[in-house]
Structures are given as structure tokens and as C-alpha cells.
Amino acid sequence: QQDLLLPLSTLTGVQKIVSEMPTVKTTEEIIDTRKRDIVFLIDGSTKVGSSFSSVREFLLGVIGQLNVGLNSNRIAVVQYSTDPTVEFLLNTYSSKSEVLDAVGN
């Protein structure tokens, strides 16, 4: 913080420098209570092949940050290739751990 303030003290006409700490939100302010239906459409063709594990890790990371449940964010996964394949529907799993397990397998 001091490193940021030192250059400011050389400005002409500056009477007083006030430093403030960043605003920190409480857990209650961070929790998102909106309900969403989120469908991940992923490429299941043979072209993806070796990078499929990266896609899986991406999905696990995103889903891990969401509030998942039947009364909050609902998740579905569909793979497309020659024909689309529904891996699971929005109402298949009722908890984040179930969705993460399904994506991880």
C-alpha cells in the first residue's frame, strides 16, 4: 500500500492523501440466490480426444464455484458429435456433489 501512495505524494496541489482499505464483502453479500438453468454443451467428437480431460477440469472448476441444487442453479451436460448425447438433465441431480461426481466420471 505504501508503494502506491509514494508516487501520489509528489503530485503538485495535493493537500491530503487519504488511504482506504478495499471493501470486503461478507459471506451473506457474496452468496448468489438467483436460480439458473445452466447447460454445458461440450464437443464429444474424436477431434477433442486428448483435451477432453481439460474440458472435464474446466467443468469441475466452474460447477465447484456455483450454488447447485434443485432450488438454485440446476446443471445439465450435453455432448455433441455426429449425434447429441444428453449426459444428464437439469433435474437429474439434486446436489453439487452429485453433479461433480457425474462430471468427474
Side-chain angles (χ1 to χ4, degrees):
Q1 185 179 10
Q2 192 63 22
D3 291 339
L4 294 174
L5 293 178
L6 287 177
L8 292 176
S9 64
T10 62
L11 296 173
T12 58
V14 174
Q15 300 296 321
K16 182 178 178 183
I17 297 175
V18 177
S19 63
E20 295 180 6
M21 296 304 291
T23 304
V24 178
K25 293 184 176 185
T26 64
T27 305
E28 291 79 25
E29 292 173 312
I30 294 173
I31 295 174
D32 186 357
T33 58
R34 292 177 284 188
K35 298 177 182 180
R36 295 179 187 89
D37 288 342
I38 302 168
V39 179
F40 291 99
L41 181 62
I42 57 175
D43 187 351
S45 67
T46 56
K47 294 176 187 174
V48 175
S50 62
S51 66
F52 191 76
S53 61
S54 299
V55 173
R56 177 178 284 140
E57 290 303 314
F58 170 78
L59 290 176
L60 292 170
V62 171
I63 295 166
Q65 299 298 312
L66 297 172
N67 182 18
V68 178
L70 292 179
N71 294 317
S72 53
N73 295 310
R74 300 185 310 165
I75 308 294
V77 174
V78 177
Q79 283 194 61
Y80 69 91
S81 182
T82 305
D83 296 312
T85 303
V86 176
E87 296 299 327
F88 55 88
L89 300 169
L90 293 167
N91 61 355
T92 301
Y93 300 112
S94 60
S95 71
K96 182 190 294 192
S97 62
E98 290 176 322
V99 173
L100 290 173
D101 286 345
V103 170
N105 292 329

